[in-house]
Amino acid sequence: MRWYSNYKNEEFKESFLVSGNTEFEAMFVSYEKRFFLGAIYSNYIGMGRQNASILFSPRDVNYTLKPFFEFRHNRISYQTGLDHRCFHQVDRKERETPYWNVPYLRIASGNYRYQLQRKQLLESNRWDFFDRIAWLFEIGYFVREFGNMDKSLLNGFHPWGSSAKFDARYYFLKSKSWLIGARHKTSLYCDTAGVPYWSGELELSADVYSRKHALGFFINYNYEFPRLMPMYDPTEYSKSTGLSGPKRLMPLFSKDRLVEFGVRWRL
């Protein structure tokens, strides 16, 4: 669950009030603890503001489904899969629904998954540099055509052509059940013309672990450079003449300057 502040304009203030994200990961097949076939499902619900006697106005619902294959070797995991994602609106029709299918390749440290932090840093009491740092690098390609398949089934209503992400997390303080750390995530998106857009996210976090669960608190700052991520422009991305909302730029991928206060629970 996240609460937002530090809005840079009225569009951001209207769109970002509070949001929740739920994510499930399942492994369906494994072999010798090295080969895995699994999937990730996530559901984002974003609430904003409106001019009515409603405190929380549901605005956005985003779905993600990622089937993947993973191989683990020498404290490194290699994963490839398909990222299917769509961005829906709730109780309004101000824009079309962006969606994509992105084949991706990911390389990550063996301790990147949060479930391993308790085992390695708290239970095994390991605390050297390579135990305390976790990292991930991922590249993806936004498929816009595939053989004779209908292009409208693959991608729509967004500018992206490719992406790359690097995520690093470092823990600098611990007790018997607490882990306190920092995280930085950098994302690079290129549109279909090859124009790059960078975004970054800085995080400070504190997580307390019980025998089976973890409760965490965090604060994030989002920034974009050297140019801002695209806002949703109906004149550029829309093909529908039946949009009911005003034809205006709206935040969609951009979170520039937003500060997020959050709490999370992990199983």
Side-chain angles (χ1 to χ4, degrees), residues 159-192:
W160 306 128
S162 59
S163 66
K165 302 175 184 179
F166 180 73
D167 191 357
R169 188 170 65 244
Y170 182 75
Y171 293 99
F172 52 83
L173 187 64
K174 75 169 184 175
S175 68
K176 291 183 179 180
S177 58
W178 282 83
L179 285 175
I180 299 177
R183 172 177 170 264
H184 183 253
K185 179 180 179 181
T186 303
S187 300
L188 166 65
Y189 291 88
C190 290
D191 63 22
T192 54

Side-chain angles (χ1 to χ4, degrees), residues 180-236:
I180 299 177
R183 172 177 170 264
H184 183 253
K185 179 180 179 181
T186 303
S187 300
L188 166 65
Y189 291 88
C190 290
D191 63 22
T192 54
V195 178
Y197 299 82
W198 293 84
S199 67
E201 181 180 318
L202 288 167
E203 177 183 293
L204 289 175
S205 64
D207 295 274
V208 57
Y209 290 80
S210 65
R211 290 185 56 191
K212 296 183 179 181
H213 309 134
L215 179 65
F217 307 90
F218 61 91
I219 178 171
N220 290 343
Y221 177 72
N222 298 272
Y223 64 95
E224 297 168 11
F225 63 96
R227 58 178 59 85
L228 299 178
M229 301 280 276
M231 305 277 276
Y232 190 91
D233 184 353
T235 62
E236 182 176 357

Side-chain angles (χ1 to χ4, degrees), residues 26-252:
M27 298 296 186
F28 304 116
V29 179
S30 65
Y31 177 70
E32 293 187 347
K33 297 184 179 180
R34 288 183 179 271
F35 301 92
F36 298 86
L37 182 64
I40 295 174
Y41 172 79
S42 67
N43 181 22
Y44 167 92
I45 299 176
M47 298 188 179
R49 297 172 173 85
Q50 66 178 19
N51 296 322
S53 56
I54 300 176
L55 179 60
F56 300 106
S57 173
R59 294 181 56 90
D60 301 289
V61 177
N62 307 338
Y63 298 97
T64 303
L65 180 62
K66 297 172 67 173
F68 64 82
F69 171 78
E70 182 171 315
F71 171 65
R72 301 176 187 176
H73 180 64
N74 289 340
R75 300 181 67 180
I76 296 179
S77 65
Y78 305 86
Q79 186 182 111
T80 184
L82 179 70
D83 183 324
H84 171 76
R85 195 167 305 211
C86 50
F87 301 81
H88 297 273
Q89 285 189 302
V90 179
D91 294 337
R92 52 179 52 79
K93 186 60 176 176
E94 300 173 341
R95 58 167 171 79
E96 298 292 350
T97 300
Y99 59 97
W100 60 61
N101 287 281
V102 179
Y104 69 90
L105 175 64
R106 188 181 92 171
I107 303 174
S109 59
N111 62 346
Y112 183 79
R113 282 185 172 86
Y114 284 99
Q115 293 91 331
L116 298 176
Q117 304 307 308
R118 178 196 298 107
K119 179 179 179 180
Q120 293 191 3
L121 300 181
L122 297 180
E123 295 178 0
S124 299
N125 202 31
R126 294 159 57 173
W127 197 244
D128 63 29
F129 177 80
F130 291 104
D131 290 317
R132 288 190 283 170
I133 192 170
W135 56 269
L136 173 147
F137 176 72
E138 179 180 306
I139 56 174
Y141 174 73
F142 294 78
V143 178
R144 291 185 175 271
E145 58 180 70
F146 186 78
N148 295 324
M149 182 177 292
D150 185 351
K151 295 180 181 180
S152 65
L153 299 176
L154 299 174
N155 259 296
F157 310 111
H158 68 83
W160 306 128
S162 59
S163 66
K165 302 175 184 179
F166 180 73
D167 191 357
R169 188 170 65 244
Y170 182 75
Y171 293 99
F172 52 83
L173 187 64
K174 75 169 184 175
S175 68
K176 291 183 179 180
S177 58
W178 282 83
L179 285 175
I180 299 177
R183 172 177 170 264
H184 183 253
K185 179 180 179 181
T186 303
S187 300
L188 166 65
Y189 291 88
C190 290
D191 63 22
T192 54
V195 178
Y197 299 82
W198 293 84
S199 67
E201 181 180 318
L202 288 167
E203 177 183 293
L204 289 175
S205 64
D207 295 274
V208 57
Y209 290 80
S210 65
R211 290 185 56 191
K212 296 183 179 181
H213 309 134
L215 179 65
F217 307 90
F218 61 91
I219 178 171
N220 290 343
Y221 177 72
N222 298 272
Y223 64 95
E224 297 168 11
F225 63 96
R227 58 178 59 85
L228 299 178
M229 301 280 276
M231 305 277 276
Y232 190 91
D233 184 353
T235 62
E236 182 176 357
Y237 301 127
S238 176
K239 68 177 182 180
S240 173
T241 58
L243 298 180
S244 60
K247 306 300 185 291
R248 58 191 176 93
L249 294 172
M250 294 180 292
L252 184 60

